[in-house]
Amino acid sequence: MKPMVRLLLFLLSITAICVFWGEHTLYIAPQKQRFCACDRCLFENNTLAIEGLREFPQPLLSRNYNLPEEEYNWWRRLQPGGGSISDYRKNIERVFQLISDNPPLEASSPGRCRTCAVVGNSRNLLKSHYGPLIDFQDYVIRINRGHSKGFEADVGNRTTHHVMYLESASQLDNTTRPVLFTFKMRDLPWITRVLSTQPSGKKSIPRKSLFNKDLAMVVNPAFMRYIHQVWLQKKGAYASTGFMALALALHICDEVHVFGFGADSDGNWSHYWEKVPNKKVKTGGHPGNVEYEMIEELARHQILKFYTGW
Ligand code: C5P
């Protein structure tokens, strides 16, 4: 056989071997459509029986949103304070004259993995050493009087979002997003008041706003009702602020890590910075056990990761 023909045959055999190996070894299975870029996206393989857990269209209020009367009537009965729906609408209009419209929530996308830590205020955080794990997440959501100073090793020191309402509010730094809950009519003028930087007693010193108004978000009362009805099956008076913060996280994050939830051995919601002053306080009007069981259930179905503390 001529050398040229031998070379050709040799090259042909090499090509045939490569094609054979390629087909058998380099086969890549077709990729399943992903919702996000995390190892496991929220509700990707939803095996939980409760329908519609992450389907609330508008968890945050916006300038042009009109709260339906039925939702308003539920909200109005949460705490004493009264008022008509037109009072409510006027107050909300004033709030939105001061704050920028809430940004629409970004939908998950295959290229994004936004991780969140929701940090409740339970005493089970003490000695947990969760601090670095909490700070490692993209968003760190703290609640009410939850704070870091003196507890950094256990609770971390970053805060991107701070969930609060009139009675639990504290001064935030300029970069933290205030996530505002309202429970009664009086809470609405409170928002406008703390946002207006009017002069204080001394003429030259303007009163400092409690938080950066450009970052403020106001939670939709209809979302609060939905959590109570759909998530908690109407147990208790209404959901705790912490539980609602967790539900909100499931709407804005791709991966949710939950810390600092759980009553003490007497069944009280004691805090990591103080012993509970009144042993009969339990979990207030909130369905503490139902909320805790729901978090456990969500963790069992790998919808979130639950760190139960020390
Ligand atoms: O007590 P506080 O309402 O400030 O705590 C914030 C949230 O943390 C509560 O609304 C509740 O959901 C959760 N919490 C808890 N167990 C505790 C204390 C608070 O689950 N011992």
Side-chain angles (χ1 to χ4, degrees), residues 63 95-96 98-103 213-216:
R63 187 166 287 135
V95 169
F96 279 101
L98 285 168
I99 66 171
S100 28
D101 213 1
N102 282 316
K213 68 183 171 62
D214 297 328
L215 301 180

Side-chain angles (χ1 to χ4, degrees), residues 63 87-100 164-166 169 178 180-182 184-199 207-214 216-218:
R63 187 166 287 135
D87 293 338
Y88 175 86
R89 289 192 175 134
K90 270 184 230 142
N91 276 310
I92 283 291
E93 214 180 296
R94 278 186 213 122
V95 169
F96 279 101
Q97 278 163 9
L98 285 168
I99 66 171
S100 28
M164 57 194 193
Y165 54 93
L166 187 156
L180 306 174
F181 276 89
T182 57
K184 54 192 171 310
M185 194 67 82
R186 206 155 53 83
D187 295 352
L188 300 173
W190 164 74
I191 298 180
T192 28
R193 218 171 36 252
V194 293
L195 288 174
S196 328
T197 42
Q198 288 153 0
R207 190 172 66 198
K208 198 177 168 201
S209 177
L210 264 192
F211 34 69
N212 182 345
K213 68 183 171 62
D214 297 328
M217 298 161 123
V218 186

Side-chain angles (χ1 to χ4, degrees), residues 120-122 143-144 240-243 260-263 268-271 291:
N121 290 335
S122 174
I143 302 153
N144 295 339
S240 71
T241 314
F243 191 81
F261 282 76
N268 293 307
W269 269 350
S270 49
H271 298 132
E291 291 186 1

Side-chain angles (χ1 to χ4, degrees), residues 1-13:
M1 217 185 292
K2 284 186 177 167
M4 198 57 183
V5 177
R6 281 200 1 228
L7 180 68
L8 255 170
L9 279 175
F10 174 74
L11 287 175
L12 265 173
S13 347

